[in-house]
Amino acid sequence: MALVDRTRAEQGPFFVARVALRLSFAIERVTRERTVTAEHVDEFVRACRELGYDPR
Amino acid sequence: MGRIESGVGLSTVLDLVDAAREATLEARRQCSSPAAVLLFATDNYPAERLVAASDAAAAVCPAGTVVAGGTVPGVAFGDRRYDALYGGRGLAALAIGGGGVGVQASLAADTKADPRAAGRALAERVTRLLGQPPSAGIILSPGVAAKPVWIDPDIVDGIRAAVPGLPLAGGGASGGFEGREMPEGHVFAGRDVAQGAALLVGIAGVEGRSGVANGLVAERRAGTITGLEAPRVITSIEGRPAREAALELLAGDDARAREFLTKNVLVACVELGVTFAEEDPAGACWPHVPAAWTAGGGLVDLYRPRTGQDLVVARVTREGCLAAVDEVAGMLGGTTGSPLELTVSFSCSLRGVTLGPQRADEHARFRTRVRTGTHFGVSVRGEIGLSRRGDPVCAGWSYAALGLRGR
């Protein structure tokens, strides 16, 4: 998931781990299974914003 | 009386070798004839280029300058701070010298077979190279990422067996993150580099002071460890399965906290500011941060849990983290003690999560709480310092510092 990679590069892996705690899905799993949907992306962006970062 | 000369340079250029050269040249503008230059590179630089970086630093120093260092989670100087955990990248060079000041470095590549002996060998070698026992020391250790088990306490015991009472501070080198795994960091001395190794920098001709604190506050008793799968999986607390007991103790009635803790106990503990800890005889709390759950319902504790050990639930807050900075500054003499010429602090990278935006102020705050000339900060993964009683402490989520002045 390119957005996750960019977020990790800009905010670091611990930030992504904190975001992952707030998601209803497992980032690694949807990336591995190539089942990323627009809803996944929206949820990821919302969780990032909750933590003070806008990845878009 | 001797006087310490020091200089710090910071570089954020992408190439590690160029960064080492640039930072060393900047450090030498303040310390033109260093006895040693220590390089601290954030762990997102390629470790395979450390020898070339060491060579580049040595090439811009007087012949015979000791060059040593390692990979760490972060570096800070003045108002600049770079943490790999938050996407930053930087290399810091700390040049140390001065009349009557000697600095030597020793690396122990194999720390696992007999860590205490490795520590002793480090101190004995540094003593031989200096021609006298060091009067202060900086250590980069395997830290909490050490595989298969945390060995910093044994290494430090070995160092202090060779040089009793040595004022020592430092912490764990870092190899970043690979998924949820923490690879071991790299340290080097000259052209010798190793992963999961220990580096001791011994300094002679100085007076040294060391301190460590964390600001944790014990909230309530958690219970006694009743089951342990050595060396670091707690299987039961007060006879209850560890995971079940830990979730109840750490989350209480907070369903969201319980959800977080279930998903990723380490990140959740750091974010929620809660952990298990042990209290020492002086009443200080030293964390046993849960690192992971096991498939069998156990709890991985990187900090050497023991059967029969009493644990407390402790809170970590921003105020507590900052209070720890003040406490360590006080241990080094504060604003009324004899002035120091160089202070180096070692802060757990996790404190940055607790402090949030205030992490940028951490080392600046220390600078105002102690009389010092140059102050330089490093983030590490497992901190090492001396308690108020002078006993060595290896801990996590803590802030440690070494203060030096010429003798």
Side-chain angles (χ1 to χ4, degrees), chain B residues 10 31 41 99 114 121 157 198 202-203 206 213 255 273 334 339 352-353 371 374:
Chain B
L10 274 182
C31 177
D114 188 339
D157 278 351
I203 308 161
V206 300
V353 182
R371 296 175 70 190
T374 300

Side-chain angles (χ1 to χ4, degrees), chain A residues 11-12 18 21-23, chain B residues 85-86 260 263-264 271 353:
Chain A
Q11 297 294 314
R18 294 175 65 204
L21 287 182
R22 290 161 164 79
L23 301 177
Chain B
L85 203 55
Y86 314 111
F260 277 4
K263 272 185 173 180
N264 187 325
E271 177 159 321
V353 182

Side-chain angles (χ1 to χ4, degrees), chain B residues 256-316:
Chain B
R256 192 150 165 82
R258 189 181 181 98
E259 184 191 345
F260 277 4
L261 290 160
T262 303
K263 272 185 173 180
N264 187 325
V265 65
L266 172 61
V267 176
C269 278
V270 175
E271 177 159 321
L272 296 169
V274 66
T275 180
F276 290 128
E278 65 175 287
E279 288 182 297
D280 71 14
C285 276
W286 302 106
H288 285 258
V289 188
W293 306 118
T294 66
L299 172 62
V300 177
D301 173 0
L302 302 178
Y303 295 95
R304 294 211 183 159
R306 304 179 304 280
T307 307
Q309 180 174 38
D310 288 328
L311 295 176
V312 297
V313 174
R315 288 283 162 190
V316 185

